[in-house]
Amino acid sequence: MTQTTTKVAILIFDGLTALDAVGPYEVLRSVPGWEVEFVGKEPGEVRTDSGRLGLSVDAAIADRPDADVLLVPGGEGQRALHSDDEVLEWLRGVDRGSRRTTSVCTGALLLGAAGLLDGRRATTYWQSIDELRDFGAEPVVSRWVEDGKYLTAAGVSAGIDMALHLAAAETAPEVAQAVQLGIEYDPSPPFDTGSPAKAPAPIVEAVREVTRRRTTLP
Amino acid sequence: MTQTTTKVAILIFDGLTALDAVGPYEVLRSVPGWEVEFVGKEPGEVRTDSGRLGLSVDAAIADRPDADVLLVPGGEGQRALHSDDEVLEWLRGVDRGSRRTTSVCTGALLLGAAGLLDGRRATTYWQSIDELRDFGAEPVVSRWVEDGKYLTAAGVSAGIDMALHLAAAETAPEVAQAVQLGIEYDPSPPFDTGSPAKAPAPIVEAVREVTRRRTTLP
């Protein structure tokens, strides 16, 4: 019996938001025949945006020019890569051969900086949705947005939903259903404040204020 | 203005399930005044159960005898610790002074092995729920179960829900609501198969079979 392996490359970098990457990882690594690898500028540790967690880069992007599925997580750290030619060239190169090119949260802005979302419908973290226009993309408020092979998810936790959709689309719904049960993903949040359309206005304003302080103070 | 810091210790080890730890981390690290630290037997890298992801241990448990909130994730790797006296002693020691002792997924079995769930109501991963009895706990099928200061979550993704509840209970509902919006946790899974009560029987059987193969083959 031969089984084709689907190679998934998740790009990680200093200042990423951990759940953006680890949510989809947990889904995609459970798909039979799929192999996830965490790649980055160089092998070693990257630190997440809180500074409180380190993730391992297992392979340098220079050594991984191809992937069937490319996933770019977000976090404020992605902004430093908008002017990193090595990363931008790598993204464009992998995208040329990929079956799927995907992002979670503000990872979409990095795809945009690489020129990969020009003229496409896309989504990102709710606080960054308008920034998509800077890269020629059409912002869509949705849990995830599919435009051809491009699949972009909303903020942080949305990567789990997007990855389940991706697994279903690329394999079979039953496979994604089994993965969902495998990670016991039967969400039951104690509140219904997970989107700016649902949260009370003072909560929305408080979260915006935290972001403002984070990006204006050193 | 003084602010009390709440110290959160997340125990990680080889063979943990990444999302068990990273889901709650993303919630708890966003609570103002809370500081999360990943601790383990020794500083360095641990590899998750898939073998495809490394997380950093930032402090040795020997150097962290106290925490306000203790969180133990699951994964098959926790079983090796049931007979690890250093870890069991550490868990009991931290628990003596903790405000909250918590677990995600089969992390509850490790709390049980340390004797911390004896006579308590608790939950764990759906496939392991009966094993709680081995440690004198009363199994409860629920997204999370609170018994005094002990808070145990169901499988993998349930740690996110549990952590939001914990943040609300220890601070204020508005804080947890803001954190939920911060991680855009407005779940929209493409299927409704996240619990054995909801998934079709053949899906449930398929997932059980994967587990059986994993634990019977080397």
Side-chain angles (χ1 to χ4, degrees), chain B residues 168-213:
Chain B
E170 290 289 311
T171 61
E174 292 74 16
V175 170
Q177 288 165 7
V179 171
Q180 187 175 338
L181 178 59
I183 63 167
E184 205 163 345
Y185 185 47
D186 183 24
S188 178
F191 307 104
D192 192 17
T193 59
S195 87
K198 295 176 175 176
I203 299 283
V204 176
E205 184 45 37
V207 176
R208 285 193 191 278
E209 179 58 26
V210 167
T211 304
R212 267 194 296 268
R213 270 184 284 133

Side-chain angles (χ1 to χ4, degrees), chain B residues 9 35 72:
Chain B
E35 276 191 5
V72 179

Side-chain angles (χ1 to χ4, degrees), chain A residues 109-179:
Chain A
L109 304 182
L110 182 53
L111 287 184
L116 300 177
L117 296 182
D118 193 25
R120 301 190 200 285
R121 301 164 65 249
T123 197
T124 186
Y125 188 48
W126 62 274
Q127 289 195 71
S128 301
I129 190 87
D130 292 334
E131 290 185 68
L132 285 171
R133 292 191 204 281
D134 300 345
F135 307 106
E138 181 193 332
V140 179
V141 175
S142 182
R143 196 69 177 154
W144 69 80
V145 171
E146 199 159 12
D147 186 336
K149 77 175 187 180
Y150 299 88
L151 190 49
T152 51
V156 197
S157 60
I160 300 172
D161 297 328
M162 183 271 275
L164 285 167
H165 168 72
L166 175 64
E170 290 289 312
T171 62
E174 292 74 15
V175 170
Q177 288 164 8
V179 171

Side-chain angles (χ1 to χ4, degrees), chain A residues 25 45 50 56 186 198, chain B residues 25 45 50 56 184 186 198:
Chain A
Y25 147 82
E45 186 194 53
S50 71
S56 301
D186 183 24
K198 294 176 177 176
Chain B
Y25 147 83
E45 185 194 56
S50 71
S56 301
E184 205 163 345
D186 183 24
K198 295 176 175 176

